[in-house]
Amino acid sequence: MQLKSKLLAGFAALMLAGPAAAEGIERAAIVMPGSISDNGWNQAGFEGLTKAGEALGFEAAFSESVHQPEQIEVLSDYARRGYDLVIGHGGEFQDAVERVAARFPETMFMVNNGLGTKDNIANADFYFSQIAYLMGYVAGSMSDTGTIGIIAAQQFKFTTDTVVGYEAGAKAANPDVRVLVTWTGDWDDITKGKEAALNQISQGADVLWPTMDSATLGSMQAVQEKGVYGIGIYRDAINEWPEILQSAILDVRGNMRSYLELAAAGKLEGALYRADMGNELAMRIGSFHPDIPVDVVDEVNNLIEAMKSGTLVVNPQ
Amino acid sequence: MNRFTMQRRIATALLLALSVGGVLILLDGHNPFEAYKVLFLESFLNYWGFSNTLVKASPMLLAGLAVIIPMRAGVFNIGGEGQIYIGGLFGAVFALAIPDLPGLLGVPLIFIAAAAGGAFWAAIPAYLKAYRGTNEVIVTLLMNFIAIHIVSYAVAGPLLAEGAPYPYSEEVSDAYRLPILMPQSDTHAGFVFGLGMTIILYFWLRFTPSGFQLDLVGRNVRAAAYAGVDQKKTIIRAMLIGGSLAGMAGAIEVIGLKYRLFHLFSDGYGYDGIVVAFLAALNPIVAPLTALFLAGLSAGAGTMQRAIGVDSSVIEVVEGLVVVFVAAALVTPRTTSKSILKLLAKNLRLRRQTQRQKKEA
Amino acid sequence: MIDLVLLGDVLAVTARLGTPIAFAALGGVIAERGGLYNIGLEGQILAGALGAAAGSFATGSAVIGLGCGINCGLISGLLLGYMSIRLRINQLVGGIALNLLLAGLTAFLSRQIFGAQAGGARVNGFSQIDFPFLSDLPVVGPSLFSQDPLFYLLIGLAIAAWFWLMKSHKGLDQRAVGENPKAADLAGVPVFRMQYLAIAVSGALAALAGVHLVLSQVYVFAEGMSAGKGFIALAAIILGRWSPIGAICAALFFGFCDAVQFKLQFTSPEIPYQLFLILPYFASLIALVVLGAKASAPASVGLPYDREHR
C-alpha cells in the first residue's frame, strides 16, 4: 500500500515538476524523530509533506527515526542533495537546523514547533495553550467527579504550555476542579500510557487527555475499559474512540499545507508561522460528543469567537 | 588460518548478509544493487559520507575500548551508555560553569571532567564487583537507565537553555569546540583522539606490568593470585579506565558535535561499543577498524534511505544481518565440513562406549 | 495507616506491568540455565507481539494469535540458538544483532500486514477473568483473581519451569549443561540438543511477553512496543538469582516500583518526574546490594561449547 503511494508520489513529482514550479520549491524533505506509523506527530508530518507534494507538484522525501547524533548529518545531506526546503519535524531539530542553515544559505529550512527564525530558517507552530484551554473547558464542564487528567511525555515549552492552558480552561469552567498531571517520560511506550491513564482514573479523574504519540493508544484503551471520557489530539479522534468528548485538532498536515503552499509559490520567508484558532486549516476543534449539553457547546463556541476576536487571550502565548 | 581465508570468509559473510537483505529491499520496491552501491560508496568513498562515518566512529571507538579494557580483566562493562551520559553531563557542566578559559586549557579540563564522570559511574559497579561480588552486568545495565534519566532531568531542569523548544542546555563557548578536520563538514577531532587512546592502551596492555596484570586476572584468577596480583585493585583499575574512556566519548559528543548537552544525546553508542569490542576480538588495535566498519554501515544505511528511499525498518534488518554474518565469519572455524564427519564418528563411538559402560554397570 | 484500596490498586498495576517482564525473565532463566545468554529477549518480545497481532488480526481469534506469537518466539529462539551453538558467535553480539534485526523486521512486516493502519489496527484479545467472590477480596482480589488468562499461564509456567529445572532428571541434565557442558557431555547428556531446546523455549517465553502486551493490554501492535522490557528482564534474571520463581518475583518487583512511581507523581508533584522514573532501577540496585546477590551465574553461560576441544 505504502509502496504504491510512494511510487505515485514519485511519478506525480516527475510529471508536475515542470517550469510551473520553477519559482517555488521543486524538492522538499522532512526529517522526523520517530516512526511514520505512530498515529501521531510523526505520521502527521510524513503525510503532511507527501500529500502536499502530490497536490502542489514537488518531490517529497523523508527520513524517519532520526536520533540526536544524526540530525546534523541528515539535514545537511538533504541540503547537499539539492532539496530546496528541508523540514526538521520538532523543536529538537532547532539547534541542528541553525548549524546547517548557516552552511547552506541557498536552502530554506523549516522547524515545526521550532523557536528561532533566521533569513533561511522558518518556524511553524501552534498556539498550544489556546486550544488546550478549550479542551480544559470541555473537560472541566463534563467532569462529574471534579477531577480531570492530562498525560504528557516530556516537559518542555510546548507541553508545559499545553498543560497550563488545559488547567486554565478547566478552572474557567469549574473553579474547584482538580487537574492531575502525569509525565510518563516516553512518547511511545503504550503500556506506560495505559498505566498512567488507569492511575489517573483510580485517583478519580473521569476526563483524560493523553497527549503523547503511540503511547496515546494505551491511554485510550484504559479510558474505554473504565468507561470514562477522553480528549483527542491531532485529529478528530471520536471517529476511532466513541469516548472522546472533543479533540484538539492540531492539524500538522494543515499547518504544513499552509506554509508549503507559500513555499510552492516561492513566498516562504524566515518567519514564524503560528497557527491559532483563526486558522481553521491548521487548528480547530473536532466534533462534540453527543453527551455534551447544548449550553456547554455554545459556551465553547463563544470562547472560540472571543479567541478569534482577541478578547480572550490565553497565556502562555 | 591465514589472512586470506579470513578475508574470504568476511567477504562471503558480507555477500550472504547483503543477499538476504537484498530480498527485503526488493520487497520494499527498490533495486538492491543501487541501494548497496549507495551504502558503500557513500559511507567510505564519498567526502561527506566518510565524514559522517568518522563522526559516528569516534564515540563507537571509545565505547568499544571502554568494553575491551574491563573485559580483558574479566569484567563485563555493559554500562558504556550510562558512562557516556554521565561523562557528557560532567563535561557540559564544567564547560558551562567556567566558560572563559582559553581552549588549550579548557578542552583538556573538560575531557578530564568527563573522564572523572564516567569513571565515577563505573566505580560503583567496580567496587561492588570487587568487594561484594555483585554481578557487574546487572549493575552497569541498571545504571544506564539511571544515567539517562539524570541527564534528562538536568537538561529539562537546571541546565535548560533559555526559551529552548526541547530539553537542551546552553551552548558551550566557541573556544571549547573541538577542531573540525574536514572543512565544511562536522568531522571533529574525536576520532583522532580515539586513535591516540587506542595506541596508548595497546602499548599499555602489551608492554607494562599493570597491563599484563589485567590479562592475567582476566584469564586465570588463580594464577594471578599466585603471582601476587591484587585482583580487586586490577578489576577496579580496569573499570575506572573503561568508565573514563566512555565518559570522554560523552564529552566528544557535547563539545565536538552538538555543542550542547541534549536529552537522549547518545544513540546507544555504549551498546555499539560491545559489538565493536567483540568484532575486534578484544584487541584495542583492531577496534578503530571495527568501529569504522560499524559506523560506516550505520552512516551508509541512513544514506540509503535519503538517496533511494529504502524503508528505515529494512535498513535496520540489513544492519543486524551484516553484524550477525560478520561475527559468524570472525569465529575461528574449528569445525570444517570434513571434521564434522570425524566428529560424528567420534560421537557415535563415544555414545556406544557410554552405553556399554552403562550396561556393564 | 495504609490505604487498603490504594494498596490493592498498586498490586493490580504491579501484576499488569510485571507480567511481560516476568515472561521474558523466565525465558532468560531457561536459556542461561542451559549455558546460553539470551540478550535477544527484547527483539523476541517484538516478534511475539507482531505474531500475536497478525494472527489475531487475520483470524479474529485471540487463541490463534497466541499460537502465532509463540511460534514466532520459537523461530527467533532457534535462530539465536543456531547463531550461538552452531556458528558460535559471541552470544552478546548475536543477541544485540538479533534485537536490531527483529526491531527492523517487525516494523517492516507490520507495515506490510497492517498497511496504512499501522499503529492503529485493533485486534481481538483476551479479557480478564474475574473469579467469583475471590476477585472481590480486599487488597489481593484485583491483583490475583481478576487478571487475564496469560497471567495465570505465567503462574503455571513458572511452577512448571521450577519443577523442570529443580525436580526433574531432564532439568538436572540441562543445569549440568549450563554448569559444565564437558562433564555433561561425557555423562551422555546430548548437550547441543539440550541447548537448542532451552533457547527455543526461551524464545517462546519471551514472545509470550509480547503476546501479553498485544492481546491482554493494548490490543494493537506498535513498532518498538517492547520499550526496553527485554533489558529489564535481563536484570530480573540476575536479581532473581537464576531461579524461575526468583526471576518472576524480581520482575514483579520492577512492576511494583513502576506502579508506585505512577502513584507518587500525584502525591508529590513538586519532585521532578525523572526521579520517579529512576526509582525502579534504583530500588533494584539497592535490593541487589542489600541482598548481596553474589555472582552465582551458571558457570558456563556464554561460553560456546566445542566438542573437539573438550
Side-chain angles (χ1 to χ4, degrees):
Chain A
M1 221 177 294
Q2 241 194 1
L3 166 65
K4 212 181 255 174
S5 66
K6 258 188 245 164
L7 285 177
L8 279 178
F11 282 125
L14 278 178
M15 315 257 277
L16 294 172
E23 225 176 56
I25 53 170
E26 286 175 20
R27 301 166 80 202
I30 185 164
V31 187
M32 289 162 292
S35 150
I36 55 167
S37 57
D38 69 347
N39 248 10
W41 174 248
N42 295 293
Q43 188 165 0
F46 164 69
E47 290 175 6
L49 185 71
T50 42
K51 297 234 166 89
E54 283 166 39
L56 302 171
F58 59 80
E59 186 189 329
F62 71 96
S63 283
E64 59 179 321
S65 302
V66 174
H67 301 148
Q68 294 292 340
E70 300 164 337
Q71 291 175 343
I72 296 175
E73 158 201 339
V74 175
L75 292 165
S76 31
D77 196 49
Y78 276 124
R80 212 174 287 124
R81 286 174 196 275
Y83 284 79
D84 321 281
L85 173 65
V86 180
I87 305 167
H89 194 50
E92 63 262 57
F93 286 96
Q94 178 74 35
D95 193 56
V97 161
E98 283 176 18
R99 292 264 295 283
V100 177
R103 267 183 236 156
F104 297 93
E106 299 299 309
T107 310
M108 190 68 193
F109 291 86
M110 164 63 84
V111 186
N112 290 336
N113 282 354
L115 276 176
T117 55
K118 293 226 167 75
D119 277 349
N120 62 337
I121 303 178
N123 285 167
D125 68 10
F126 297 95
Y127 190 167
F128 285 94
S129 59
Q130 198 181 41
I131 198 154
Y133 184 92
L134 295 170
M135 297 303 119
Y137 193 88
V138 172
S141 313
M142 294 299 292
S143 171
D144 287 330
T145 59
T147 302
I148 61 171
I150 178 165
I151 308 169
Q154 284 173 330
Q155 266 171 331
F156 53 92
K157 183 166 185 336
F158 297 111
T159 54
T160 51
D161 280 8
T162 306
V163 170
V164 171
Y166 185 70
E167 283 173 336
K171 293 246 150 65
N174 171 7
D176 300 325
V177 76
R178 185 166 148 240
V179 182
L180 303 176
V181 184
T182 304
W183 301 97
T184 62
D186 198 308
W187 295 90
D188 299 308
D189 188 335
I190 300 189
T191 26
K192 269 202 179 141
K194 183 169 181 184
E195 278 323 315
L198 287 173
N199 247 292
Q200 293 197 338
I201 295 167
S202 75
Q203 297 276 310
D206 59 350
V207 185
L208 263 57
W209 189 18
T211 61
M212 300 80 76
D213 293 339
S214 297
T216 300
L217 284 170
S219 302
M220 283 312 300
Q221 192 63 45
V223 164
Q224 190 163 56
E225 279 171 21
K226 296 289 170 184
V228 297
Y229 289 122
I231 304 268
I233 190 162
Y234 297 123
R235 61 195 178 287
D236 203 3
I238 197 169
N239 298 325
E240 294 148 56
W241 305 91
E243 299 79 10
I244 292 282
L245 285 176
Q246 182 52 277
S247 300
I249 306 187
L250 299 169
D251 195 336
V252 178
R253 299 167 189 79
N255 201 13
M256 288 177 67
R257 184 60 184 264
S258 325
Y259 70 68
L260 286 169
E261 274 172 13
L262 290 175
K267 287 180 189 148
L268 187 70
E269 288 167 4
L272 168 63
Y273 297 85
R274 167 162 292 178
D276 57 17
M277 290 306 291
N279 177 356
E280 284 207 2
L281 182 62
M283 196 162 107
R284 59 188 179 273
I285 59 171
S287 327
F288 283 96
H289 192 284
D291 287 358
I292 301 180
V294 185
D295 51 323
V296 174
V297 173
D298 288 342
E299 283 160 25
V300 171
N301 285 329
N302 289 340
L303 288 174
I304 296 175
E305 286 315 310
M307 284 173 175
K308 285 183 183 167
S309 65
T311 49
L312 172 63
V313 178
V314 185
N315 285 315
Q317 280 180 306
Chain B
M1 187 172 50
N2 66 36
R3 190 171 296 154
F4 287 109
T5 35
M6 185 49 102
Q7 281 169 353
R8 211 170 56 213
R9 284 171 61 83
I10 293 177
T12 321
L14 274 177
L15 211 64
L16 278 172
L18 296 182
S19 335
V20 179
V23 176
L24 283 178
I25 295 177
L26 206 62
L27 280 176
D28 191 42
H30 298 279
N31 179 346
F33 293 104
E34 203 184 331
Y36 287 142
K37 201 171 91 188
V38 169
L39 175 69
F40 287 105
L41 289 185
E42 304 223 4
S43 51
F44 291 109
L45 300 177
N46 163 305
Y47 180 82
W48 306 110
F50 187 61
S51 113
N52 289 336
T53 301
L54 283 179
V55 169
K56 284 182 188 233
S58 24
M60 284 184 190
L61 171 57
L62 285 169
L65 294 173
V67 175
I68 289 177
I69 299 299
M71 199 68 223
R72 293 285 283 260
V75 185
F76 203 155
N77 181 17
I78 301 264
E81 188 74 356
Q83 290 145 16
I84 289 174
Y85 272 90
I86 298 297
L89 176 67
F90 274 48
V93 167
F94 181 90
L96 294 171
I98 310 171
D100 309 320
L101 297 175
L104 277 178
L105 182 63
V107 172
L109 285 176
I110 290 171
F111 270 97
I112 290 172
F120 161 61
W121 212 242
I124 299 166
Y127 170 81
L128 290 174
K129 165 86 178 174
Y131 289 95
R132 308 203 46 166
T134 317
N135 185 299
E136 75 278 14
V137 175
I138 180 181
V139 179
T140 48
L141 186 68
L142 290 170
M143 290 182 67
N144 285 346
F145 294 106
I146 297 178
I148 291 172
H149 286 308
I150 289 179
V151 170
S152 158
Y153 163 69
V155 293
L159 291 181
L160 182 68
E162 184 91 14
Y166 189 79
Y168 57 61
S169 75
E170 297 286 354
E171 279 194 313
V172 299
S173 48
D174 288 342
Y176 294 164
R177 298 178 187 179
L178 292 184
I180 295 291
L181 295 184
M182 296 164 67
Q184 288 299 309
S185 79
D186 300 290
T187 315
H188 48 71
F191 192 72
V192 178
F193 178 79
L195 281 180
M197 281 293 156
T198 306
I199 292 166
I200 294 172
L201 290 171
Y202 176 74
F203 281 101
W204 176 65
L205 280 176
R206 254 200 108 156
F207 300 109
T208 68
S210 56
F212 295 146
Q213 288 176 3
L214 208 66
D215 271 338
L216 201 55
V217 170
R219 285 199 188 133
N220 193 335
V221 177
R222 240 172 274 159
Y226 279 128
V229 178
D230 186 338
Q231 192 203 348
K232 296 185 167 106
K233 263 191 196 149
T234 312
I235 286 177
I236 290 186
R237 186 188 295 136
M239 272 300 274
L240 290 184
I241 294 174
S244 355
L245 289 164
M248 290 189 285
I252 286 178
E253 289 302 283
V254 174
I255 63 173
L257 183 62
K258 305 290 285 188
Y259 304 152
R260 296 178 192 268
L261 187 68
F262 262 80
H263 171 61
L264 295 182
F265 71 86
S266 166
D267 186 17
Y269 286 133
Y271 301 105
D272 292 334
I274 300 172
V275 178
V276 167
F278 281 96
L279 289 185
L282 301 181
N283 184 353
I285 210 78
V286 188
L289 280 181
T290 54
L292 275 179
F293 171 73
L294 207 63
L297 191 62
S298 151
T303 349
M304 244 156 68
Q305 181 175 28
R306 296 192 292 279
I308 310 183
V310 181
D311 197 299
S312 68
S313 58
V314 175
I315 294 167
E316 253 180 309
V317 179
V318 175
E319 282 185 68
L321 285 170
V322 169
V323 173
V324 170
F325 279 82
V326 171
L330 288 174
V331 175
T332 341
R334 288 194 198 125
T335 349
T336 55
S337 54
K338 228 186 226 168
S339 63
I340 286 178
L341 286 177
K342 251 192 241 164
L343 192 78
L344 278 176
K346 210 165 132 192
N347 260 347
L348 279 176
R349 227 178 301 140
L350 197 90
R351 199 165 291 168
R352 263 182 234 136
Q353 258 170 23
T354 43
Q355 275 168 356
R356 216 175 295 143
Q357 278 163 0
K358 264 186 204 164
K359 266 182 209 161
E360 282 163 14
Chain C
M1 175 73 203
I2 303 167
D3 184 342
L4 289 182
V5 179
L6 183 69
L7 184 64
D9 194 36
V10 166
L11 290 181
V13 177
T14 300
R16 270 199 306 274
L17 289 177
T19 302
I21 302 173
F23 271 123
L26 193 58
V29 168
I30 298 292
E32 294 196 14
R33 283 295 193 162
L36 298 169
Y37 276 122
N38 186 351
I39 306 293
L41 294 173
E42 179 79 359
Q44 291 167 335
I45 296 176
L46 285 174
L50 180 72
S56 180
F57 181 71
T59 62
S61 151
V63 177
I64 294 181
L66 172 69
C68 291
I70 292 177
N71 274 316
C72 288
L74 280 174
I75 294 167
S76 65
L78 286 173
L79 185 67
L80 186 61
Y82 183 76
M83 287 168 7
S84 315
I85 302 165
R86 179 70 188 86
L87 300 178
R88 290 189 293 117
I89 297 177
N90 178 286
Q91 292 170 15
L92 299 143
V93 174
I96 291 172
L98 184 73
N99 286 335
L100 200 63
L101 202 127
L102 288 178
L105 198 61
T106 50
F108 177 73
L109 290 176
S110 91
R111 288 171 189 192
Q112 302 294 318
I113 297 169
F114 305 115
Q117 283 176 304
R122 319 249 308 276
V123 300
N124 291 331
F126 297 111
S127 44
Q128 63 186 39
I129 302 172
D130 290 315
F131 286 88
F133 309 118
L134 290 175
S135 60
D136 297 328
L137 285 176
V139 186
V140 293
S143 53
L144 289 182
F145 301 109
S146 184
Q147 292 287 342
D148 63 281
L150 291 179
F151 177 78
Y152 302 110
L153 179 65
L154 170 71
I155 305 291
L157 284 174
I159 295 169
W162 174 79
F163 189 83
W164 160 265
L165 277 178
M166 302 303 172
K167 297 285 162 199
S168 77
H169 283 292
K170 288 275 177 199
L172 185 67
D173 286 355
Q174 188 195 332
R175 280 191 292 150
V177 169
E179 295 294 339
N180 190 340
K182 205 188 285 181
D185 197 357
L186 287 171
V189 177
V191 172
F192 295 134
R193 206 188 305 158
M194 209 59 166
Q195 289 193 322
Y196 272 115
L197 182 70
I199 198 78
V201 170
S202 170
L205 285 166
L208 277 171
V211 174
H212 181 265
L213 289 179
V214 170
L215 296 183
S216 296
Q217 292 212 12
V218 292
Y219 312 110
V220 291
F221 175 83
E223 291 168 24
M225 73 188 297
S226 49
K229 293 182 179 61
F231 295 110
I232 297 178
L234 289 177
I237 298 167
I238 305 171
L239 195 60
R241 303 185 184 194
W242 290 272
S243 125
I245 308 288
I248 285 177
C249 292
L252 291 176
F253 174 65
F254 277 107
F256 176 74
C257 292
D258 237 356
V260 170
Q261 177 259 118
F262 277 116
K263 293 284 174 209
L264 285 177
Q265 278 202 32
F266 296 124
T267 51
S268 324
E270 68 284 353
I271 302 176
Y273 69 91
Q274 290 92 350
L275 285 187
F276 295 121
L277 297 176
I278 288 175
L279 187 74
Y281 307 109
F282 190 69
S284 359
L285 202 58
I286 297 299
L288 200 65
V289 174
V290 172
L291 295 176
K294 294 268 178 199
S296 55
S300 295
V301 65
L303 308 170
Y305 176 54
D306 185 350
R307 299 193 77 154
E308 284 199 340
H309 280 240
R310 54 185 184 180

